[in-house]
Amino acid sequence: TGALAGFSRLTEIEAWGVATPSGSNVALASVSGVATASSSFGAGFPVTALNDNERSGTGFGNGGGWNDGTPGAFPDWVQIDFNGASTIDRVVVYTLQDNYISPQEPADGMTFSLYGVTSFTVEGWNGASWVTLGTVAGNTLVKRTLSFAAFTTDRIRVNISGALASFSRLTEVEAWGQ
C-alpha cells in the first residue's frame, strides 16, 4: 500500500511450514498389513518388500523389491490386506528407479526410462467385488500418488497392465488413511 519513489519492489517472498501427510500408512507390515502377488521371480524379489517402508528399492534382487515371475505376460497384481477396515483416500505406488544399484529416496518428480511400471489400476475391495479407485496409463514417475474420494476397505490391489523391460517391478505400495 506504499513504497518509496512511487514503485513497489520485492526480491523474494517465502512461506515456511511443515507439510505432513494426513492419517497413516495402513498397508505397512509393521501394522499387520499382508502383501501377496500373482507371481514372484524368486526369493530375491519377495512380495513382502512391498510394505516394509523401504521405498527406494535398496538391495533390489536381494529382498529390496518385488519382480513378477511371468515376463512379458500381463496383468500382474499385488494385493495388501490391512489389519481390518480402514478409510483411505490415497495410494502411493513406487516402481523401480533406473539407478537401482545406488538408489535414492524417490521424490515426487523422479522419472524412470528403463524398468518401471507404465500402466496400472488401483482397486479397493467393497466386500463383494473390486472397485476402481484410480487408473494410470503412460506412467514415467517412480513415485506415483493416486488420490480419490475416501473409501473404506480392508484391502487394496494394484493391477499392472504394462511395464518396461518385460517385468512388473515395484519397491513399495502405501495406502494412506484413518
Side-chain angles (χ1 to χ4, degrees), residues 90-132:
R90 74 184 172 284
V91 169
V92 186
V93 177
Y94 297 85
T95 192
L96 188 64
Q97 54 190 271
D98 290 350
N99 186 12
Y100 67 90
I101 300 296
S102 298
Q104 300 175 0
E105 181 68 19
D108 286 332
M110 180 184 277
T111 61
F112 65 83
S113 62
L114 300 174
Y115 308 110
V117 169
T118 57
S119 301
F120 61 94
T121 300
V122 172
E123 302 167 316
W125 185 252
N126 70 4
S129 62
W130 291 104
V131 174
T132 298

Side-chain angles (χ1 to χ4, degrees), residues 2 13 15 28 39 78 87 123 127 157 161 169 177:
I13 296 175
L28 284 170
S39 67
V78 297
T87 301
E123 302 167 316
R157 180 170 68 180
S161 55
R169 299 173 182 92

Side-chain angles (χ1 to χ4, degrees), residues 7-25:
F7 291 96
S8 297
R9 296 171 188 88
L10 300 174
T11 58
E12 186 167 344
I13 296 175
E14 297 178 344
W16 294 81
V18 178
T20 57
S22 62
S24 60
N25 179 5

Side-chain angles (χ1 to χ4, degrees), residues 39-42 45-46 60 65-70 96 167-170:
S39 67
S40 183
F41 192 71
F45 305 93
F60 191 79
W66 170 79
N67 194 116
D68 83 282
T70 57
L96 188 64
F167 288 98
S168 296
R169 299 173 182 92
L170 297 177

